[in-house]
Amino acid sequence: MSKPDERVLLSEDRGGVRTLTLNRPRRKNAINPQLWLALRDALDEAGRDRGVRALVLTGAGGSFCSGADISVPEDIHPKYKLQRLTDVALALHELPVPTVAKVTGVAVGAGWNLALGCDLVVATPESTFCQIFSKRGLSIDLGGSWLLPKLVGLQQAKRLALLAETIDAAEAQALDLVTWVVSGAEIDAFVEDLADRLAAGPPFALAQTKALLNEGADRTMRDALANEARAQIGNFATADAAAAYAAFADRREPSFTGRWALSRSDGEQTE
């Protein structure tokens, strides 16, 4: 088990982009209790920090994550173990900023579902993926039972979960489980550019769009339209919509801030 003072999770900020790096490379970034808690706290903090406009999740030492670390038993009720996973999965899913998983090496079990919980996934040709749970005598967790059927359909989800086959990045991309496959030499620059583009977007509008897409699959058309209207009203109350229209008229790129700028009847604006 990691020593109490070991930094199992690294955090770095750059121009509105926060990168969280799982930092247990000797264990291929298997997530131990300390790392589960650090991830939960870091995701909660990122959601509260208005300076964070996009988040990248990756692993140190050439691997993304080999899943939950089951090498050291804990003498606590399984309910409390699973609560740590639930807290992380929900914090990632509900994070109001766009998220990118940068996957190098293995993404296994809960590690793969951690990547799938991100909005976009970038992998290298050498990356491999496995829903290993059944080989460990376990059932799927960290949101995989919800994520997989939505991404690949029920039959392929059952294949991946029941057989626990290892697939490569090309097949994962063909199944829509990876957004881009980029060479190992190019992935850092690719993800940096991608995160910058997301961070430059209108923060309130992107947060609303992300929530609408996450919720839309479980709603009726009537519910979806009502939610879209609610979100759009909020967008028009920010400075970003006006900035976009002005930039379009001037044939330039807009600069988005997410600032609240609801017009008053007297023509003034408030923030």
Side-chain angles (χ1 to χ4, degrees):
M1 183 173 289
S2 299
K3 297 178 182 178
D5 59 348
E6 185 178 352
R7 296 181 64 196
V8 295
L9 183 68
L10 307 179
S11 179
E12 180 183 4
D13 288 343
R14 180 191 55 80
V17 177
R18 179 162 296 175
T19 298
L20 299 180
T21 303
L22 311 181
N23 190 37
R24 302 188 71 221
R26 293 182 181 178
R27 298 287 301 167
K28 294 186 177 179
N29 301 313
I31 308 178
N32 64 357
Q34 183 184 356
L35 183 48
W36 282 121
L37 296 176
L39 257 180
R40 178 202 64 191
D41 292 345
L43 291 169
D44 286 344
E45 181 182 350
R48 293 191 300 268
D49 188 340
R50 295 179 63 185
V52 177
R53 303 276 291 265
L55 184 135
V56 175
L57 187 61
T58 191
S63 294
F64 182 74
C65 179
S66 59
D69 191 343
I70 59 174
S71 64
V72 179
E74 285 188 278
D75 189 20
I76 63 172
H77 196 286
K79 172 184 176 180
Y80 302 114
K81 295 181 184 180
L82 269 297
Q83 187 61 51
R84 292 192 294 243
L85 277 68
T86 297
D87 291 344
V88 167
L90 285 177
L92 181 61
H93 181 70
E94 295 175 353
L95 197 69
V97 300
T99 55
V100 180
K102 182 169 72 173
V103 179
T104 58
V106 300
V108 175
W112 189 8
N113 291 335
L114 190 66
L116 294 180
C118 293
D119 301 314
L120 302 167
V121 180
V122 186
T124 66
E126 297 77 24
S127 302
T128 57
F129 304 85
C130 181
Q131 294 286 336
I132 201 169
F133 300 97
S134 65
K135 291 185 177 180
R136 300 289 183 262
L138 300 170
S139 54
I140 194 168
D141 64 22
L142 207 74
S145 64
W146 188 88
L147 291 162
L148 275 176
K150 293 185 182 306
L151 292 167
V152 302
L154 184 57
Q155 191 172 73
Q156 287 292 344
K158 288 179 178 178
R159 169 212 158 189
L160 293 168
L162 298 178
L163 296 176
E165 297 173 334
T166 296
I167 64 173
D168 61 19
E171 184 173 2
Q173 186 177 33
L175 290 170
D176 293 329
L177 296 169
V178 166
T179 322
W180 295 278
V181 177
V182 182
S183 73
E186 298 173 336
I187 191 170
D188 288 344
F190 183 93
V191 170
E192 183 175 312
D193 176 70
L194 173 62
D196 286 345
R197 288 157 55 198
L198 291 169
F204 184 80
L206 292 188
Q208 296 295 300
T209 295
K210 175 176 174 174
L212 288 167
L213 291 172
N214 282 342
E215 296 169 6
D218 297 321
R219 304 295 177 93
T220 65
M221 174 65 84
R222 186 177 296 276
D223 290 335
L225 289 169
N227 284 339
E228 289 171 1
R230 168 188 52 77
Q232 209 69 290
I233 290 169
N235 292 326
F236 285 128
T238 71
D240 288 343
Y245 285 127
F248 177 78
D250 295 340
R251 297 185 179 181
R252 58 177 172 79
E253 289 297 315
S255 178
F256 294 121
T257 65
R259 182 170 56 88
W260 179 261
L262 183 64
S263 296
R264 294 176 176 174
S265 58
D266 59 5
E268 296 178 355
Q269 290 189 323
T270 185
E271 298 184 11

